[in-house]
Amino acid sequence: MVEFPFKGLVYEEMPPSNDFNSRRILKQCTLFTDEETKEISNAAFVMEKLFKNIERSIAAEKAYNEFKDELRNLKSGDKYAIAEVDRRFCAYVMEFRLFLEHWKKYISDLKKINKHYGSIYEKLYSDVTHEAYDTCEEYVLAYCLRNYVVHAYD
């Protein structure tokens, strides 16, 4: 018998396919200890938030595609087209940085609401960005270019 409200992990057992009048059956999973169940729940919560925040990258992706399209259509010597490529490039670099800053702010706000989950998420963000900086030349380049774009006209 499953306790209400549910304690631990619960799964649904489907009725036999030929019995359309049967109700769904919920069963409690007993494969994990309470501590393992808690860790699984925490991981699921963090992953759910991570996937929702990946959507924040859409603006940066769009800016990148606009830059790429403008670059493909560039006609040599057209000063207005060159200025447009420059503008699209700056927009991409800034959108990429804005994506990272919004993500960091989201984590900071999450920590205020739930310190435990916020701390887990903050560590995940830190690990991912540090690993990207250490192993991905494109990330390092984007980071450096952002600094250049911000300070180029000082």
Side-chain angles (χ1 to χ4, degrees):
M1 186 67 162
V2 178
E3 296 176 32
F4 289 93
F6 300 124
K7 179 179 182 276
L9 300 177
V10 176
Y11 64 95
E12 181 178 355
E13 187 175 271
M14 299 301 289
S17 59
N18 59 351
D19 188 1
F20 296 107
N21 295 324
S22 294
R23 292 180 37 187
R24 297 181 322 186
I25 302 168
L26 295 178
K27 293 194 171 190
Q28 188 155 358
C29 178
T30 57
L31 296 173
F32 307 102
T33 66
D34 286 344
E35 187 60 32
E36 290 171 327
T37 299
K38 185 177 177 183
E39 287 180 28
I40 291 168
S41 295
N42 288 343
F45 178 83
V46 170
M47 292 304 294
E48 179 184 8
K49 296 294 182 190
L50 179 63
F51 286 125
K52 283 183 181 177
N53 278 298
I54 285 175
E55 293 174 3
R56 295 174 186 267
S57 69
I58 291 171
E61 185 178 348
K62 278 184 163 183
Y64 171 71
N65 288 329
E66 290 168 359
F67 166 64
K68 234 177 27 175
D69 292 344
E70 201 67 46
L71 199 56
R72 282 188 192 121
N73 299 325
L74 181 63
K75 293 180 177 81
S76 180
D78 182 350
K79 65 180 181 179
Y80 295 109
I82 292 170
E84 186 63 17
V85 168
D86 185 50
R87 187 183 73 72
R88 299 277 187 180
F89 174 74
C90 291
Y92 164 60
V93 170
M94 296 308 287
E95 285 289 352
F96 178 78
R97 187 63 186 165
L98 190 61
F99 158 68
L100 293 176
E101 292 300 323
H102 279 184
W103 202 2
K104 202 184 296 187
K105 174 75 170 100
Y106 172 82
I107 293 168
S108 173
D109 291 346
L110 180 61
K111 279 182 76 172
K112 293 174 189 171
I113 297 167
N114 188 317
K115 190 172 178 115
H116 176 72
Y117 292 131
S119 296
I120 292 170
Y121 204 98
E122 182 177 49
K123 181 174 179 351
L124 177 64
Y125 174 86
S126 178
D127 291 348
V128 167
T129 54
H130 284 98
E131 181 179 341
Y133 194 88
D134 292 343
T135 62
C136 183
E137 292 175 356
E138 295 86 354
Y139 183 84
V140 175
L141 179 62
Y143 199 84
C144 292
L145 289 173
R146 178 264 174 202
N147 289 337
Y148 171 77
V149 167
V150 169
H151 303 292
Y153 303 107
D154 286 349

